[in-house]
């Protein structure tokens, strides 16, 4: 049993990472249905919340079926983060998470996200300000350090625990690495094995299969794993890992029928939350990932990204299902090294 404040997670929990322009309610819904144990919102600007910016406020939307769920905020000013924490408190999530890991230039170079890794004292002050401003359990997601010369995650973990955080998720790369190269989990293991550390430690980075999950669980002894890019277009990753951990057997890849059904479900929830125009338009970027690996899918995909009515989109998805009926899709990896760079903040 893993405890984060008053949240109790059974077994070996799988967390859906907070991903800007990805981890919105429609995407979270399909991940929850497929076994995600704890999820986070997209990161929300503390300054945006204070200014009452529409986009920032919209990201506060959470639903009962998502629980347990955390709202993630970012910023580089103590007063702003503290005020944002009070705003988040009112929406009643299960926890509040601080982003000290986003590497995108427009965030990090303004002294927020991974930019705070340059100043551990500031990171501690920011975290302390949030902890003192909310009744929610506070957690942090961060990286190993700013660059190869400043991998200070062990000190960071101790000091953040001392000011009251209830769990820590660590991405096994530095900010300078962005999403390139291989994630280094050895330092995550050092944090977990530090006798001073009493809070749950979650590992993040490069987990893309049930086999790797079990391997990393056993090798690095983390309390759970956070999955990000591997879930994009493949929410089944959570159920596959859970099944493998319980039985030692690999589930078959989702069928074309399952892929179409999840695409439809995601579309309906997108329209319900965002409205018909935005919901349909923003869903377009997901089809290529859901239908990846189908030969000749480009023709259908080109139709899907031009249609403007839900019924028309679903009709084309039905065509996809009929055309590829019985086809066994070989899982293809998601390659989105620096997808954050293309996201509005």
């Amino acid at each position: 049993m893993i405890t984060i404040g008053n949240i109790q997670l059974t077994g070996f929990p799988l967390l859906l990472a907070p991903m800007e322009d990805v981890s919105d309610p429609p995407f979270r819904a399909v991940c929850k249905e497929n076994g995600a144990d704890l999820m986070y919102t997209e990161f929300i600007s503390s300054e945006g919340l204070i200014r009452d910016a529409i986009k920032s406020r919209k990201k506060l939307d959470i639903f009962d079926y998502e629980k347990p769920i955390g709202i993630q905020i970012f910023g580089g000013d103590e007063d702003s983060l503290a005020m944002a924490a009070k705003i988040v408190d009112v929406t009643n999530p299960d926890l509040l998470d601080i982003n000290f890991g986003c590497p995108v230039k427009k965030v990090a170079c303004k002294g927020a996200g991974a930019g705070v890794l340059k100043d551990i004292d500031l990171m501690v002050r920011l975290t302390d300000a949030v902890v003192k401003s909310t009744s929610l359990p506070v957690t942090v997601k961060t990286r190993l350090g700013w660059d190869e010369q400043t991998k200070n995650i062990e000190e960071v973990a101790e000091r953040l625990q001392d000011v009251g955080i209830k769990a820590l998720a660590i991405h096994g790369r530095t900010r300078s690495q962005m999403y390139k190269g291989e994630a280094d989990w050895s330092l995550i293991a050092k944090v977990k094995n530090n006798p001073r550390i009493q809070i749950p430690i979650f590992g993040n980075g490069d987990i893309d299969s049930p086999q790797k999950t079990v391997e990393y669980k056993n090798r690095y002894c983390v309390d759970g794993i956070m999955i990000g890019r591997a879930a994009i277009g493949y929410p089944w990753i959570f159920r596959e890992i859970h099944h493998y951990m319980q039985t030692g057997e690999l589930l078959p890849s989702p069928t074309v029928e399952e892929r179409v059904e999840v695409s439809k479900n995601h579309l309906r929830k997108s329209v319900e939350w965002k409205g018909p125009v935005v919901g349909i338009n923003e869903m377009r970027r997901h089809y290529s990932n859901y239908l990846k690996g189908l030969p000749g899918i480009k023709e259908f995909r080109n139709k899907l990204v031009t249609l403007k009515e839900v019924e028309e989109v679903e009709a084309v998805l039905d065509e996809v299902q009929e055309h590829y009926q019985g086809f066994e899709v070989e899982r293809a990896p998601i390659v989105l090294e620096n997808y954050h760079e293309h996201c509005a903040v």
Side-chain angles (χ1 to χ4, degrees):
M1 184 78 71
I2 303 300
T3 301
I4 306 173
N6 57 359
I7 303 171
Q8 291 189 326
L9 303 172
T10 58
F12 186 74
L14 305 178
L15 287 59
L16 173 64
M19 295 178 284
E20 174 66 4
D21 274 3
V22 177
S23 302
D24 58 13
F27 179 75
R28 297 198 303 264
V30 297
C31 289
K32 186 69 174 182
E33 289 169 1
N34 281 280
D37 296 301
L38 173 62
M39 306 187 297
Y40 298 83
T41 64
E42 304 169 78
F43 67 178
I44 306 173
S45 163
S46 57
E47 299 288 348
L49 281 181
I50 294 168
R51 294 196 310 269
D52 205 25
I54 293 174
K55 182 173 182 179
S56 295
R57 288 280 178 164
K58 185 71 172 171
K59 290 180 181 179
L60 290 174
D61 286 355
I62 55 175
F63 303 91
D64 286 342
Y65 63 79
E66 298 183 283
K67 289 181 172 290
I69 186 166
I71 289 177
Q72 190 187 72
I73 59 176
F74 74 95
D77 178 78
E78 293 170 59
D79 292 337
S80 295
L81 271 177
M83 196 175 301
K86 293 180 183 296
I87 296 171
V88 169
D89 222 359
V90 177
T91 66
N92 197 32
D94 297 284
L95 61 85
L96 192 160
D97 190 73
I98 310 172
N99 183 311
F100 290 140
C102 178
V104 65
K105 291 179 182 177
K106 64 186 88 173
V107 175
C109 293
K110 291 183 178 178
V116 183
L117 291 166
K118 291 180 175 181
D119 188 341
I120 299 178
D121 290 340
L122 174 61
M123 182 187 292
V124 172
R125 293 198 304 273
L126 293 172
T127 304
D128 188 47
V130 172
V131 170
K132 290 177 177 176
S133 299
T134 180
S135 60
L136 297 167
V138 175
T139 62
V140 165
K141 182 172 189 287
T142 189
R143 288 181 170 237
L144 301 179
W146 178 259
D147 54 26
E148 285 295 315
Q149 288 70 47
T150 57
K151 290 184 176 179
N152 46 31
I153 189 61
E154 292 177 83
E155 177 187 351
V156 165
E158 289 186 0
R159 295 183 65 181
L160 295 188
Q161 177 181 260
D162 289 346
V163 295
I165 70 167
K166 301 303 182 184
L168 178 64
I170 306 169
H171 183 110
R173 290 182 174 88
T174 63
R175 187 272 169 181
S176 62
Q177 284 181 275
M178 301 296 285
Y179 294 93
K180 297 177 182 178
E182 185 176 351
D184 177 8
W185 282 60
S186 62
L187 283 177
I188 301 176
K190 282 188 176 182
V191 172
K192 174 57 192 172
N193 294 323
N194 181 344
R196 273 207 62 205
I197 296 298
Q198 302 300 314
I199 59 175
I201 301 297
F202 301 113
N204 174 230
D206 296 348
I207 296 297
D208 58 4
S209 71
Q211 300 96 313
K212 184 176 280 189
T213 300
V214 172
E215 176 191 349
Y216 279 36
K217 171 184 180 291
N218 295 335
R219 184 190 300 179
Y220 300 110
C221 302
V222 291
D223 294 296
I225 280 178
M226 179 177 281
I227 297 171
R229 290 171 293 161
I232 299 175
Y234 205 85
W236 304 279
I237 185 72
F238 299 101
R239 78 173 187 189
E240 289 182 356
I241 292 173
H242 278 307
H243 182 82
Y244 184 73
M245 294 185 71
Q246 292 165 6
T247 68
E249 299 174 352
L250 291 172
L251 284 173
S253 295
T255 63
V256 173
E257 290 75 15
E258 287 177 295
R259 292 169 184 268
V260 167
E261 184 55 38
V262 167
S263 297
K264 286 182 178 181
N265 189 17
H266 195 161
L267 170 65
R268 292 168 192 148
K269 291 185 179 298
S270 182
V271 169
E272 180 182 344
W273 185 60
K274 303 174 184 178
V277 176
V278 177
I280 290 173
N281 289 345
E282 293 195 355
M283 184 62 198
R284 291 170 177 170
R285 62 175 176 258
H286 292 283
Y287 298 125
S288 60
N289 288 323
Y290 280 131
L291 305 176
K292 194 170 186 177
L294 295 173
I297 194 62
K298 184 176 180 180
E299 178 184 346
F300 292 102
R301 193 173 65 240
N302 288 344
K303 290 182 183 178
L304 290 169
V305 299
T306 58
L307 298 174
K308 299 180 180 179
E309 300 292 336
V310 172
E311 295 76 14
E312 294 175 332
V313 174
E314 292 191 340
V316 173
L317 288 171
D318 287 337
E319 290 179 32
V320 170
Q321 180 171 322
E322 183 178 354
H323 183 81
Y324 293 98
Q325 189 170 19
F327 184 86
E328 293 187 11
V329 186
E330 187 172 323
R331 187 177 170 196
I334 300 296
V335 181
L336 291 170
E337 282 195 345
N338 294 326
Y339 69 92
H340 277 305
E341 293 290 353
H342 306 291
C343 298
V345 175

